[in-house]
Amino acid sequence: MADKRNWGFCLTVCLASFLVANADIKVSAPVGQLFVFELQRETFQNEFEPFLKHYAGRVYNDPMVFKCNKQSFPDLPEWLRFTQRHPYDNGFLYGTPMSAGKSIIEVTVINKRSYDTFRERLIINIGPRANKMPFQAEFFIKLREIEKVLPSTVQAAIKQDVMRMWETDRLEFVNITSALDRGGRVPLPLAGHYEGVYVKMGSDQYYSKCLLKLQSPDHQRQCEAGGRRETGDCAICTIPSNCITWCKSILIDLSRPVAAPPAPSMGSGVLEAGGQYDPLDSPPTRDYFLDYIVTVLVPLVLAILLCLLLAYIMCCRREGVEKRDARTPEIQLYHHHTIHGNSSELRSMAGARGVPPPLSSLPMFNFRTGERPPPLQSDSPSIPLIMAQHEPNIDSLPRK
Ligand SMILES: *[C@@H]1O[C@H](CO)[C@@H](O)[C@H](O)[C@H]1NC(C)=O
C-alpha cells in the first residue's frame, strides 16, 4: 500500500519535473557575437489554445505582449535587450554577451484577447568566444528598423552584401543597435522614414581595399563637405533597403594595441604626503550697507509714497467734495443734511399712501385671472399664513 503511494508520488513528481524541464527553452550563444532569439507569437498561440486548434479547427491570431526579465530580477541582464513593435508582431531578445555564464530569462506572454498569461523560461548558455574577430566594422543602414533587421533571413542578406565588400566569408555579427539607442530621432510616421540601424560585424580577415577607403582622409573630407555621398564606390546592396550609408560607416581595428589613457596629473590642491593642512584665512568682511539701502529702504520709500498718494486720492479727491476748502466738519454736515433729507422724503412718501397699492403687492392675487380673494375679515386678529387656493381647476378636481 505504502509502496504504491510512493510510486504514485514519484510519478507525479517525475512528470511534473519532466513538464517543467520541457517548458524551458535552451539556447547557446558565444561571447562577443550577436545573440538573437525570436519570440514567436505562433508558438505561444498553441500554448494558449492547444485543443481549439486541433479539435475545432479554429486558428486564432491573438495580439500578445511579452515581458522578459532575468529570473528573480526585475530587469533583463545588462547585455540583453528586448523589442517588440506591436502586439501583432513577434518579439526579439537580442544583445552581445561579453562574459561566459548562464542567463535564465523569464518570458511572460500575455494574450491581449483572452488575457491569459503563460510563462516560459529561456536558458541562455553563454559559451567561450568562438573565433577572434580583431577587425570590426560598423555600418549604418538608413532604411531599416531594428525589428526588420533581426530576423535571420534579413541578417543573412546583409551579411551576403558585406561579405562581397569585405571579400571574405569569415564574417559574424557583433552587434545590431537601433539608431534610437544612439541618440537618433523618432522618424515621422510617413512611408519611407525609418529609424535606422547600426550593424557591427567582425572578422579575422583584414579589411578589403574597398573598406579601407573608409579610413582615407579623402573620404572623410568628402563626407564633411557634402554628406551627400550616401553610398561609396564599392557599397553593394542587393536589396535597396539594405544599402549602407557610406559616410556613417566606420572601421574598428581591435588588433592594434590601444594606447593606455594618460595617467591623471595632479592638480595644485593636492596635499603632499606628511604635509599639514593649512586652512585659508576667512574672506575679508564686506560692507552690506549699500545692499541694505537698495533692498529695504528703496521699496519702503516707494510704499510710503504710494500710501500717501492713495490717501490723498481717497480723502481729498472724492466725488462731490471737490471744493478746495472741503474741511472735515463740512463733510459731516453734508452727510447729516443728506440723511435728513432722505428720511423726510421717505416720510412724505409714506403720508401719500391713499392710493390703492398695485395688485401684485396684494396677498393671493391670481396673476392669471386677475381675480382677487374676498376681503379679509379685518377684525380677525390673526391672518392665516397659508390661505386656501382659489384656483378653479383645483376646485373641479374630484375629491377623495
Ligand atoms: C552593442 O550595442 C549596444 C547599444 O549601442 C551597446 O550598449 C553595447 O555595448 C554594444 N555591444 C558591443 C559588444 O559592442
Side-chain angles (χ1 to χ4, degrees):
M1 183 67 191
D3 239 33
K4 258 190 187 168
R5 270 243 290 324
N6 266 352
W7 255 105
F9 180 71
C10 179
L11 203 70
T12 334
V13 168
C14 294
L15 204 68
S17 60
F18 171 75
L19 282 177
V20 166
N22 214 22
D24 290 346
I25 309 170
K26 285 186 182 131
V27 285
S28 57
V31 164
Q33 275 184 32
L34 181 72
F35 163 82
V36 179
F37 185 80
E38 187 166 359
L39 294 164
Q40 283 170 335
R41 288 188 318 116
E42 214 177 311
T43 329
F44 295 106
Q45 187 72 69
N46 294 343
E47 304 285 355
F48 285 124
E49 317 278 354
F51 303 113
L52 264 181
K53 191 180 172 186
H54 293 295
Y55 298 107
R58 191 158 169 200
V59 182
Y60 278 108
N61 178 28
D62 295 339
M64 286 180 208
V65 289
F66 302 95
K67 304 258 186 261
C68 306
N69 62 284
K70 189 175 168 177
Q71 192 174 37
S72 61
F73 284 91
D75 212 346
L76 283 172
E78 201 183 356
W79 62 273
L80 196 61
R81 284 163 280 159
F82 171 75
T83 180
Q84 184 189 13
R85 178 107 351 186
H86 192 269
Y88 281 103
D89 290 334
N90 287 343
F92 290 94
L93 279 164
Y94 68 104
T96 314
M98 291 317 279
S99 57
K102 193 173 181 182
S103 284
I104 302 178
I105 310 297
E106 279 177 346
V107 181
T108 310
V109 195
I110 303 159
N111 185 324
K112 284 286 188 179
R113 181 183 57 84
S114 62
Y115 283 90
D116 276 346
T117 58
F118 179 78
R119 179 169 284 180
E120 188 143 43
R121 286 206 310 173
L122 174 70
I123 298 173
I124 308 171
N125 278 309
I126 305 166
R129 204 175 276 275
N131 34 13
K132 282 205 172 350
M133 294 181 289
F135 306 109
Q136 301 191 345
E138 190 174 64
F139 305 104
F140 180 66
I141 303 178
K142 197 179 149 196
L143 302 178
R144 283 290 193 188
E145 289 159 352
I146 184 86
E147 290 90 350
K148 299 281 157 55
V149 170
L150 290 173
S152 52
T153 49
V154 182
Q155 281 189 44
I158 294 171
K159 198 168 168 181
Q160 283 295 326
D161 290 345
V162 180
M163 274 178 184
R164 284 165 66 193
M165 282 192 271
W166 206 311
E167 293 164 13
T168 179
D169 54 1
R170 298 163 67 94
L171 268 184
E172 292 299 338
F173 280 93
V174 174
N175 212 348
I176 294 185
T177 310
S178 168
L180 295 184
D181 293 349
R182 298 265 191 103
R185 285 194 172 189
V186 178
L188 292 172
L190 298 175
H193 287 72
Y194 302 93
E195 288 153 13
V197 171
Y198 289 94
V199 175
K200 200 190 219 178
M201 302 194 85
S203 171
D204 55 358
Q205 302 287 304
Y206 194 61
Y207 306 112
S208 65
K209 257 198 215 155
C210 219
L211 287 182
L212 280 174
K213 280 185 193 162
L214 282 172
Q215 278 179 331
S216 70
D218 228 27
H219 163 81
Q220 270 149 29
R221 219 180 318 115
Q222 274 166 344
C223 283
E224 271 163 32
R228 292 277 90 209
R229 269 164 61 92
E230 297 268 294
T231 51
D233 311 323
C234 53
I236 294 165
C237 40
T238 34
I239 307 171
S241 50
N242 286 351
C243 287
I244 62 171
T245 303
W246 199 239
C247 275
K248 281 197 180 176
S249 303
I250 47 165
L251 303 183
I252 305 156
D253 192 345
L254 301 178
S255 64
R256 282 185 217 157
V258 184
S265 58
M266 297 253 190
S268 60
V270 179
L271 190 67
E272 268 174 42
Q276 210 179 7
Y277 178 62
D278 186 17
L280 293 173
D281 297 334
S282 55
T285 49
R286 227 183 109 189
D287 189 12
Y288 285 104
F289 183 69
L290 200 71
D291 303 65
Y292 170 75
I293 296 277
V294 171
T295 51
V296 174
L297 280 192
V298 170
L300 198 68
V301 167
L302 270 180
I304 289 170
L305 278 180
L306 281 177
C307 240
L308 288 177
L309 188 69
L310 201 65
Y312 169 71
I313 292 170
M314 291 296 287
C315 302
C316 319
R317 288 248 142 217
R318 288 182 73 159
E319 207 178 335
V321 204
E322 279 185 16
K323 275 169 273 168
R324 305 230 78 207
D325 51 353
R327 266 158 288 154
T328 332
E330 274 191 21
I331 292 171
Q332 279 176 358
L333 275 179
Y334 179 75
H335 276 229
H336 187 75
H337 174 77
T338 46
I339 291 167
H340 209 74
N342 289 346
S343 52
S344 59
E345 195 182 340
L346 281 174
R347 271 203 204 99
S348 68
M349 278 163 76
R353 264 199 197 137
V355 195
L359 280 182
S360 58
S361 68
L362 287 177
M364 306 320 293
F365 160 68
N366 190 325
F367 63 89
R368 256 181 281 143
T369 56
E371 183 195 357
R372 286 170 62 176
L376 295 164
Q377 292 95 336
S378 49
D379 46 37
S380 91
S382 62
I383 299 166
L385 282 176
I386 300 168
M387 289 189 296
Q389 296 276 318
H390 280 267
E391 293 218 12
N393 40 0
I394 284 180
D395 284 345
S396 64
L397 276 176
R399 293 250 165 101
K400 277 188 189 164

